[in-house]
DNA sequence: ACTGAAGGCTGCCCGC
DNA sequence: GCGGGCAGCCTTCAGT
């Protein structure tokens, strides 16, 4: 796998593409840091902002997990969910369970 | 600092901009992971690729540090560095010293 | 710091003590794995058990974080919290906010 | 599988035992961290200590693998290995081969 | 300069 | 055997 071979060129391509993406990533990371700094300059505690973002992120994750649970219910109940009435019933069941 | 106040709006803005950037970052991160997977599918060892990239990054950092050192020398030598010819002269000096 | 020196003996002592603790840790880890296996043999899904444990752990963490939040409120409100009545008021505030 | 059923009690038992073991594990983990801190206070680089421990662990694993290989040879040679003298003979054979 | 936390990376274990 | 998910480790950074 020396220079100039097909494999070598492929490797080079992978490496360069990854390096480019890492550069992009660094830009974004730096932007985020700048925002935190700016927020701090405006009197907001960065740590608190992180808490807020973490909280929102988790809430979103919780919602998605609940959705997965609902899907589990739906699948477990099979065909029933295929009819509007059945679906509504299952949904009602889920709401009371949650 | 409740909803609707100026500070509240500012905070909301910061939070949302950061969240957007984090979303962007996630996209890039996922792209990188995909590339590593693709490389693996093509028979390259991901771990080794990481090593290669780390090595190149290190080399680049070393070069930049050397460049900074060079700049320090240039400035220490005063206006000479401001002309291309002078710069080249100092650079030659530096190369032999290094 | 060669063999037989004071520093060498100290280092040896640290290394061995750490290795012993790691051995202990391995025992505990293996015990945990055995328990998961036993649970599986008894018809319980290990993955679900992990979920349950993670859930309980998080609930505990949440409670502690809430306590930290309460502390933050208390400190922010300063002296007020030093009187029983003030403390109760803050606590009431916290309850409605949570 | 609700509370009070046999299965429920079994599950509860598993969960609690696992949680207890995890608590034990945390104690050991914390002890290890303390040791690293203490080592650092005594002028040792924690990172290097980790390297040392990893190295010794690797060496130990290598030795055990070699021992397993030796056992394989011994068994392949049949009953010879059952006597101390025979074992020593095979071991000599192995040492020169390795 | 050191400590404590936050994020990223690696190795491990599981299920497919 | 492989890929996904998860825990542990390492690194970096803000704060002191």
């Amino acid at each position: 796998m020396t220079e100039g071979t097909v494999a070598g060129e492929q490797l080079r391509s992978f490496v360069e593409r990854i390096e480019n993406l890492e550069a992009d990533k660094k830009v974004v990371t730096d932007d985020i840091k700048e925002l935190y700094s700016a927020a701090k300059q405006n009197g907001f505690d960065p740590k608190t902002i992180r808490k807020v973002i973490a909280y929102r992120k988790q809430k979103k994750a919780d919602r998605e997990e609940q959705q997965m649970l609902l899907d589990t219910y739906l699948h477990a109940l099979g065909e029933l969910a295929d009819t509007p009435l059945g679906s509504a019933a299952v949904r009602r069941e889920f709401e009371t369970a949650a």
Side-chain angles (χ1 to χ4, degrees), chain A residues 7-89:
Chain A
E9 280 313 309
Q10 246 188 334
L11 176 59
R12 181 188 195 79
S13 168
F14 278 122
V15 167
E16 285 179 358
R17 278 191 281 164
I18 290 171
E19 283 175 343
N20 287 337
L21 286 174
E22 302 243 323
D24 293 351
K25 188 173 153 192
K26 179 164 178 24
V27 171
V28 178
T29 300
D30 289 349
D31 284 351
I32 292 174
K33 280 185 191 159
E34 273 181 48
L35 268 181
Y36 275 110
S37 290
K40 187 172 185 177
Q41 293 314 101
N42 282 271
F44 297 106
D45 176 22
K47 197 174 166 185
T48 304
I49 296 185
R50 284 179 193 278
K51 281 270 169 68
V52 170
I53 289 175
Y55 174 73
R56 284 161 61 106
K57 191 174 172 185
Q58 196 189 348
K59 252 182 53 182
K60 195 183 160 205
D62 288 349
R63 269 200 304 275
E64 279 163 9
E65 190 174 343
Q66 216 184 33
Q67 185 60 40
M68 279 186 58
L69 255 179
L70 173 59
D71 290 347
T72 303
Y73 272 64
L74 292 176
H75 281 98
L77 291 175
E79 312 307 322
L80 181 60
D82 286 345
T83 68
L85 276 178
S87 177

